[in-house]
Amino acid sequence: MSKLMRFFSTLILLFFLVGCDLKNTTITPTTNTISVTTTQSATTTTTTSLTTQTTTIESTTISTTTIQNEPFIPTDYSLLQDELETVGIPSKGDVKVLVFAVDFSDYPSYSSGVSINDINTAFNGSSYLTSYESLNSYYDKSSYNQLNLTADIFGFYRASNPSTYYEDEYEKLWAWDDVTNDYLYGEGEVTYPDSDIIFEVLSYYDEQIDYSDYDANQDGYIDGIYIVYTAPVSYSYGSDLWWAYQDYYAYYDDEFDTVYPNYFCWSGSDFLLEGDSGINARTLIHETGHMMGLDDYYDYETSDSYNQGGLGGADMMDNTVGDHNPLSKLLLGWITPYVVTKTMEVDLTPFVGSGETLLIINEWNNTISQGLATQIRIRNTLFQSLLIIIQTQNIK
């Protein structure tokens, strides 16, 4: 994991929901305090040792009261994919990914309830054909038309073994010896069942597909491989193999048409049937965030009261809902912030259409990878929200 993502995987994102249109707002960054004042019809003042916030409702501009006349637009700063050792799906441009539908002798495709047409809808369909968005329509909107992500669908491919074989191999791979405090089986005794199936499908379609066509950034790796399997998803019990996740191909020397498999998404066809209002692509959309380098924003460890909440579920990389937040869009290069280091007044148009975002920081050091990022969500729907990122320095 890069230094950039190690930071962002531990940052705290605080949401302040204001149930009205954004009005005259004054923001003053200083070394020890951040003051945010919003004018409204009634006034409430809350004071702590670090922050003073006064809220009142009134007219319709965002103001930041400080010494500069206008914010500046930064250039030549590092983005998330600049920091990754290898890149999966590029965050901009026309990108094609490979999708392989895989069934098993014990779970044939006809019993899955999902057809190749359904899978194509999940990846390439129009918004109205799905319960939310397709992968293509979502990332077209979220990126402000900067990422055109399309998928070529192949299948159903019948795996060489029943699903139970791959499940057993997966359990063997992760078997743990509590006495020796080590894995039960050595590297030469295990295989990687998800990568094994990827090798099967890539070999099977090798004469049909030129895999170098799926390397948009020409880095020598296939940009993205998706496996949609028909085995039942382990929602409550069963093997962790039958879940959804992003991972990396295990066999580094396997070359196909001068390119190598690398990033892949593994997901069950059951996820496409969640809900009752059409094909559901939310899980694929979330995992695609990982395919571009984003981390989960929910808490992996919730055993104590100090480590719960993530983003309150309200983000695609948290509870697979809504849009990607401004921080994610900034990291992926979809928006460029207005940087405010001194007091000033700024007018912003709604974020949903413009992507306009304030980055408020005491001093700009040509990086967005340090500090505490805070979002203030002004409107009451995620796809129609104006958010401000406030970043302070010297956060350990």
Side-chain angles (χ1 to χ4, degrees):
M1 185 184 297
S2 69
K3 291 171 67 177
L4 189 63
M5 287 313 296
R6 276 201 302 272
F7 164 78
F8 283 114
S9 65
T10 57
L11 61 78
I12 302 170
L13 292 171
L14 304 176
F15 284 77
F16 299 89
L17 175 61
V18 180
C20 60
D21 287 339
L22 192 61
K23 311 300 182 186
N24 291 328
T25 303
T26 302
I27 306 175
T28 306
T30 68
T31 25
N32 296 317
T33 64
I34 296 174
S35 294
V36 180
T37 306
T38 305
T39 311
Q40 293 184 13
S41 50
T43 303
T44 306
T45 303
T46 307
T47 306
T48 69
S49 57
L50 291 178
T51 307
T52 301
Q53 181 167 343
T54 306
T55 306
T56 327
I57 297 187
E58 233 184 43
S59 78
T60 50
T61 18
I62 288 195
S63 303
T64 329
T65 296
T66 359
I67 310 165
Q68 243 167 282
N69 290 328
E70 57 185 26
F72 69 88
I73 298 175
T75 57
D76 299 326
Y77 56 89
S78 180
L79 299 174
L80 171 58
Q81 294 193 342
D82 298 325
E83 302 295 323
L84 298 175
E85 290 184 12
T86 59
V87 173
I89 294 175
S91 61
K92 291 183 178 181
D94 295 322
V95 181
K96 289 193 304 180
V97 295
L98 286 161
V99 179
F100 298 102
V102 177
D103 74 350
F104 306 91
S105 57
D106 48 346
Y107 293 107
S109 59
Y110 62 78
S111 66
S112 69
V114 170
S115 67
I116 292 297
N117 187 58
D118 293 331
I119 295 172
N120 184 63
T121 297
F123 281 88
N124 299 316
S126 302
S127 301
Y128 71 89
L129 293 175
T130 69
S131 64
Y132 178 51
E133 299 283 347
S134 71
L135 192 71
N136 172 268
S137 66
Y138 180 93
Y139 279 101
D140 179 60
K141 293 177 181 178
S142 189
S143 70
Y144 304 101
N145 312 117
Q146 294 175 84
L147 176 60
N148 178 31
L149 185 59
T150 57
D152 289 339
I153 319 292
F154 299 88
F156 280 90
Y157 166 80
R158 173 61 56 86
S160 299
N161 299 284
S163 68
T164 50
Y165 166 83
Y166 301 100
E167 183 175 325
D168 290 344
E169 289 300 310
Y170 184 86
E171 299 309 315
K172 184 179 175 181
L173 174 64
W174 296 105
W176 189 258
D177 190 330
D178 290 328
V179 176
T180 63
N181 201 32
D182 200 357
Y183 290 108
L184 194 58
Y185 298 97
E187 186 67 28
E189 301 176 280
V190 296
T191 187
Y192 296 83
D194 42 20
S195 291
D196 291 341
I197 287 180
I198 291 172
F199 179 79
E200 286 186 34
V201 294
L202 292 177
S203 299
Y204 181 82
Y205 290 103
D206 198 8
E207 296 299 316
Q208 183 177 340
I209 302 171
D210 183 350
Y211 293 112
S212 64
D213 290 342
Y214 298 86
D215 179 17
N217 57 0
Q218 298 185 333
D219 63 353
Y221 295 101
I222 298 171
D223 293 327
I225 297 170
Y226 291 75
I227 299 294
V228 179
Y229 61 79
T230 59
V233 167
S234 300
Y235 285 108
S236 301
Y237 61 89
S239 172
D240 288 344
L241 177 61
W242 310 124
W243 193 241
Y245 54 84
Q246 177 269 318
D247 209 340
Y248 306 93
Y249 187 73
Y251 309 122
Y252 305 122
D253 296 330
D254 291 344
E255 180 182 350
F256 297 86
D257 298 324
T258 73
V259 291
Y260 296 85
N262 190 15
Y263 281 70
F264 71 84
C265 171
W266 180 265
S267 183
S269 58
D270 287 349
F271 288 112
L272 302 182
L273 301 177
E274 290 179 336
D276 55 5
S277 54
I279 294 299
N280 189 331
R282 290 175 187 267
T283 296
L284 294 172
I285 294 168
H286 171 93
E287 298 303 333
T288 299
H290 295 315
M291 298 282 276
M292 289 188 285
L294 295 175
D295 274 352
D296 287 316
Y297 291 162
Y298 57 81
D299 295 319
Y300 291 158
E301 177 56 57
T302 57
S303 59
D304 61 72
S305 59
Y306 298 101
N307 191 30
Q308 293 182 2
L311 301 186
D315 188 80
M316 180 49 65
M317 299 312 294
D318 188 336
N319 198 32
T320 67
V321 297
D323 196 3
H324 285 299
N325 65 69
L327 178 60
S328 295
K329 295 190 182 196
L330 199 160
L331 290 171
L332 294 171
W334 296 341
I335 61 174
T336 302
Y338 295 122
V339 176
V340 174
T341 59
K342 298 184 182 297
T343 306
M344 67 180 63
E345 184 171 300
V346 181
D347 290 337
L348 296 179
T349 57
F351 178 80
V352 62
S354 69
E356 291 185 352
T357 300
L358 293 182
L359 182 62
I360 302 174
I361 188 169
N362 294 324
E363 182 181 355
W364 174 249
N365 293 319
N366 297 314
T367 179
I368 57 173
S369 65
Q370 62 182 49
L372 173 66
T374 303
Q375 297 182 42
I376 301 176
R377 180 155 67 110
I378 304 301
R379 298 187 188 272
N380 59 5
T381 57
L382 283 175
F383 251 162
Q384 295 180 352
S385 61
L386 177 64
L387 299 96
I388 302 171
I389 300 175
I390 299 174
Q391 186 179 38
T392 61
Q393 285 184 295
N394 303 323
I395 304 297
K396 299 294 186 182

